Amino acid sequence: MIQVDALTLEFNGVRLEPLSLAHAGGLCAAASDGELWNIRVTSVPEPHNVEQYIRHALEMPDRLAFAVIDASSGLVMGSTSYHDILPKVDRLEIGWTWYAKSRQRSHVNTSCKLLLLSHAFDTLGCAVVGLRTDNFNHASQAAIERLGAKKDGVIRHSAVRRDGTVRDTVMYSIVRGEWSEIKSHLHYQLQRAGA
């Protein structure tokens, strides 16, 4: 049975540290880089709601939220989480992920996913790691598929978006037996990108 405790992870110039109110200013700056809260299919907080966003993340009983930090500068680049943690079936999900626009399409997402997946499979002993996204978030779907995750299906009419519309949720997963190959592939992607 997996047990997920707060921890800090670091790799390839990216540090994941437990999210706290001390990250509010940095998250506000990261969200403002591209005015990401205006993207309909993400959960990025508006600048005036950053502290509420952090409090909500910390109050969720089955979520461990991280600030994504540039290890060399200390700047906050975004946020990501373990969530829907199900210890009895050795399953968790990775999500609530977003990055400042200037950090998108860089090594940051691959490095974060490598950190989180390595910890989930190699340290916690997860049997499966899930990922989910909005049915209209095609960029997120492509990024998840580039990781090597398999599409499990779509949960229809499953969650309310910030604008009040109801989304379908596209579900993906990686099972333990696939991890070794995916891990090698993620290292290859980083090496190829020179990151």
Side-chain angles (χ1 to χ4, degrees):
M1 185 180 322
I2 63 170
Q3 179 176 331
V4 181
D5 298 312
L7 75 157
T8 298
L9 300 168
E10 190 167 334
F11 167 73
N12 201 29
V14 175
R15 186 172 64 249
L16 302 179
E17 55 188 53
L19 187 63
S20 74
L21 287 171
H23 297 112
L27 275 188
C28 185
S32 296
D33 178 357
E35 297 185 1
L36 301 176
W37 61 88
N38 289 319
I39 300 171
R40 179 173 169 256
V41 295
T42 69
S43 61
V44 180
E46 301 94 337
H48 64 277
N49 280 333
V50 167
E51 287 190 14
Q52 178 184 345
Y53 174 88
I54 294 170
R55 283 190 182 94
H56 177 70
L58 299 178
E59 290 168 2
M60 292 176 69
D62 61 349
R63 181 174 174 192
L64 174 58
F66 296 94
V68 180
I69 310 289
D70 181 312
S72 63
S73 68
L75 290 175
V76 177
M77 300 183 285
S79 184
T80 191
S81 296
Y82 283 143
H83 66 93
D84 285 84
I85 300 166
L86 302 172
K88 290 183 179 177
V89 294
D90 296 330
R91 178 190 170 92
L92 56 74
E93 294 188 31
I94 296 172
W96 297 86
T97 302
W98 59 271
Y99 307 108
K101 186 167 181 64
S102 62
R103 303 303 177 125
Q104 294 173 11
R105 302 203 185 284
S106 71
H107 75 285
V108 173
N109 186 53
T110 303
S111 298
C112 284
K113 293 302 188 293
L114 193 49
L115 277 169
L116 292 168
L117 289 165
S118 293
H119 185 71
F121 286 115
D122 300 337
T123 303
L124 298 177
C126 284
V128 63
V129 173
L131 303 106
R132 64 176 75 184
T133 190
D134 189 292
N135 61 303
F136 284 118
N137 194 339
H138 302 294
S140 178
Q141 290 174 50
I144 292 169
E145 290 170 9
R146 275 193 306 275
L147 293 172
K150 304 288 189 282
K151 186 175 178 180
D152 296 323
V154 178
I155 302 173
R156 306 288 303 274
H157 202 78
S158 66
V160 178
R161 294 184 187 98
R162 184 183 3 233
D163 66 3
T165 60
V166 180
R167 80 177 202 181
D168 292 348
T169 300
V170 185
M171 300 293 297
Y172 292 86
S173 66
I174 299 169
V175 296
R176 187 180 305 163
E178 298 165 341
W179 171 233
S180 178
E181 183 178 356
I182 288 172
K183 184 178 187 178
S184 295
H185 180 66
L186 294 178
H187 279 289
Y188 169 75
Q189 285 181 320
L190 289 171
Q191 181 182 12
R192 199 177 89 188

